[in-house]
Amino acid sequence: MTTESLEDKIQRHGNIADMLRNAPQGPYDYPMRNEYSNWRDEQLAWKQTSVLYDQSFHMTDIYFQGPDVKRLFSDLGINSFTNFGRNKAKQFVGCNYDGYVIGDAILFGFEDDEYSLVGRPVAPNWVAFMAETGDYDVKVTRDERAIDNKGTRLTFRYNLNGPATGRILEKAVGGPLPRIKFFNMAEFEIAGVPIRALNHTMAGLPGQEFTGLELMGPFDQADVVRQALLAAGKDFGLREGGGRSYPTTAVEGGWIPSPVPAIYTGEAMKPFRQWLPANGFEATASIGGSFYSDDIEDYYVTPWDLGYGHMVKFDHEFIGSTALEKLADQPHRRKVWLRWNKDDTAAVIVDSLFGSGDRPKYLDIPVSNYASAPHDKVLIGDELVGFSANAGYTMNIGGWGSMAMVDEKHAVDGAEVHIVLGEEGGGSAKPTVERHVQRSIRATLHTKPAG
């Protein structure tokens, strides 16, 4: 029996945007305990003490090893790879041939000839496809996310964030930590287990080198390390974080986690669509929100839209580089933070739960996303100026916020915009969507994180 591909599914369905708008998939799945204490205190911990998240299960992790591994990533990534190698890391961003983003993920350089790409499945799948079908001497080893994996993972992955992180780790290690530059890794042991630690903190607190580290090690030793970290953190207020608070870190941190991958159109991308299965993430992901178009390309984004414009380096040729060179000097959208008006937000919550008749779309708490790729309209007056892409509530903000992509000329600190919440026509066929009417929520725009 021939396995149906994403391309087969698209041809069978017809309209791609309609297919994704009505796909049954809800928000991205985080297979972890919902709460260890409560999501409110877990959110506060990354600002006040430290929080420990187990990231071992929700991300696709694909290993690439061989003499051509650096050339492979250089051919596909907008990033420069001039100085990349052992114990280096970077946020890899891949584009299609027209310069639109396929996906992003974190790239780890374990050795000069062995990399690991970790994140939502799209970018790892794209690189694996190119490695397997292109002229590259690279071995591909897949370590699927738990939802697609009936076995165990190869590696555990713990994330510690908060001002007490350094002191907790020094106690767990039993001495001073090695100096780790931003997005570099170091090696040490915790409870006799070999660890690699990635520093992903741009700037620490006064007197501290970092406040965030990602720890990796052999999966069969995960609990040994976890217990050592919890014991070391007991006197420093360390909390374990669960699946309810975890995705809200992106609302504060500024990551737009799930743009629509620019893979569904174009003859050049057809081989990739034929390689992808009809039941994979790319084929079952859903679009949600108030922005409607029957043209899936209206949902595609550029690196500048996502705040990745500074990563585009034309020191090498890569897929999409010619197109991006033409786009570089043109107007772009800019990634911004939106802080929602408390009165408008409260009114939506009250009316959705206690109103009668037509009700607005319910806002789940603490994460308000109900589709894989949220896409709510952002307006100034009646003018569409961008899209709100990732929304939720955090205690550190003290209200609702979202990430958005807006036209550069409208990306002005303090500007008031309106977010259109909910879907046209009372909602789509997604099971996560109840019948509702659209509602407008005022929001204040910030070009930098605003607490």
Side-chain angles (χ1 to χ4, degrees):
M1 180 180 293
T2 303
T3 302
E4 187 181 32
S5 69
L6 169 59
E7 177 67 13
D8 295 330
K9 185 175 183 178
I10 290 172
Q11 295 303 319
R12 176 167 50 83
H13 196 284
N15 187 282
I16 305 164
D18 182 73
M19 181 183 83
L20 299 183
R21 189 177 297 123
N22 292 289
Q25 184 68 257
Y28 194 79
D29 185 62
Y30 297 97
M32 60 177 75
R33 181 169 162 177
N34 274 346
E35 295 172 296
Y36 283 88
S37 51
N38 62 83
W39 60 261
R40 279 91 51 205
D41 285 336
E42 291 170 13
Q43 288 178 338
L44 290 171
W46 70 66
K47 288 288 188 182
Q48 298 177 356
T49 55
S50 187
V51 64
L52 170 63
Y53 285 112
D54 187 348
Q55 299 178 322
S56 304
F57 300 101
H58 72 276
M59 293 184 283
T60 298
D61 190 344
I62 302 184
Y63 295 84
F64 302 87
Q65 185 175 16
D68 290 338
V69 68
K70 190 170 186 175
R71 180 169 67 88
L72 168 69
F73 279 89
S74 183
D75 286 351
L76 301 181
I78 68 172
N79 324 68
S80 175
F81 287 85
T82 302
N83 298 314
F84 194 79
R86 188 177 190 277
N87 280 340
K88 301 283 187 179
K90 66 172 63 222
Q91 189 162 12
F92 169 86
V93 180
C95 288
N96 72 5
Y97 296 85
D98 297 318
Y100 293 101
V101 173
I102 292 173
D104 69 312
I106 302 301
L107 180 64
F108 297 86
F110 291 134
E111 303 294 341
D112 288 340
D113 63 350
E114 181 182 1
Y115 300 173
S116 172
L117 191 61
V118 183
R120 298 195 178 195
V122 184
N125 282 341
W126 168 240
V127 180
F129 163 74
M130 294 300 290
E132 293 176 2
T133 61
D135 183 23
Y136 299 100
D137 185 0
V138 173
K139 177 185 176 183
V140 176
T141 302
R142 301 186 67 97
D143 186 11
E144 305 289 359
R145 58 184 182 146
I147 195 172
D148 300 319
N149 183 358
K150 297 180 180 179
T152 59
R153 303 301 304 267
L154 298 178
T155 303
F156 73 77
R157 191 177 306 277
Y158 292 140
N159 189 298
L160 274 86
N161 259 293
T165 294
R167 286 170 288 167
I168 292 169
L169 280 170
E170 285 181 348
K171 186 171 182 179
V173 171
L177 293 174
R179 180 175 178 80
I180 313 173
K181 295 180 180 179
F182 176 63
F183 253 64
N184 280 246
M185 291 183 284
E187 299 175 65
F188 49 81
E189 291 188 356
I190 295 178
V193 179
I195 299 292
R196 289 207 201 215
L198 167 67
N199 179 7
H200 51 65
T201 305
M202 180 67 78
L205 298 179
Q208 295 195 29
E209 185 179 349
F210 48 73
T211 58
L213 281 178
E214 191 166 305
L215 310 177
M216 296 150 278
F219 187 81
D220 60 359
Q221 297 295 306
D223 195 56
V224 173
V225 175
R226 175 176 167 271
Q227 294 300 330
L229 292 172
L230 292 176
K234 186 175 181 181
D235 295 333
F236 298 102
L238 176 65
R239 287 185 180 272
E240 289 186 90
R244 296 192 71 186
S245 64
Y246 176 72
T248 65
T249 60
V251 177
E252 289 188 31
W255 181 50
I256 298 176
S258 195
V260 174
I263 63 171
Y264 300 103
T265 53
E267 194 65 23
M269 296 301 296
K270 185 176 180 179
F272 184 44
R273 297 193 297 270
Q274 293 173 324
W275 183 83
L276 289 167
N279 60 353
F281 176 81
E282 298 85 349
T284 59
S286 59
I287 297 172
S290 57
F291 176 72
Y292 266 56
S293 173
D294 286 330
D295 185 352
I296 191 63
E297 293 187 359
D298 288 340
Y299 294 88
Y300 290 176
V301 297
T302 71
W304 291 277
D305 296 342
L306 298 173
Y308 298 151
H310 66 284
M311 297 183 186
V312 181
K313 302 299 182 184
F314 297 116
D315 61 353
H316 64 298
E317 291 188 10
F318 56 91
I319 290 179
S321 59
T322 301
L324 289 173
E325 284 185 306
K326 295 177 181 178
L327 291 172
D329 295 328
Q330 297 183 19
H332 303 291
R333 295 195 189 107
R334 179 173 177 176
K335 181 182 75 173
V336 298
W337 286 253
L338 301 181
R339 295 295 173 252
W340 295 15
N341 179 277
K342 293 183 179 181
D343 292 335
D344 290 358
T345 307
V348 166
I349 294 170
V350 171
D351 291 349
S352 69
L353 292 175
F354 305 109
S356 58
D358 293 333
R359 300 186 182 196
K361 181 72 184 74
Y362 170 67
L363 290 174
D364 204 1
I365 187 168
V367 180
S368 307
N369 302 325
Y370 58 87
S372 307
H375 232 76
D376 283 322
K377 291 190 289 188
V378 177
L379 306 177
I380 294 181
D382 294 327
E383 181 183 358
L384 177 68
V385 300
F387 309 102
S388 177
N390 190 40
Y393 173 95
T394 85
M395 295 291 292
N396 300 306
I397 295 173
W400 248 266
S402 63
M403 301 307 305
M405 300 167 281
V406 303
D407 297 338
E408 282 180 323
K409 64 181 180 179
H410 294 298
V412 179
D413 281 297
E416 183 177 274
V417 300
H418 290 76
I419 302 166
V420 180
L421 182 70
E423 300 188 335
E424 288 185 0
S428 59
K430 291 186 291 292
T432 54
V433 177
E434 74 281 12
R435 304 307 293 174
H436 63 275
V437 296
Q438 292 183 327
R439 181 74 68 87
S440 178
I441 292 180
R442 290 170 290 172
T444 303
L445 186 150
H446 299 273
T447 58
K448 297 179 180 179

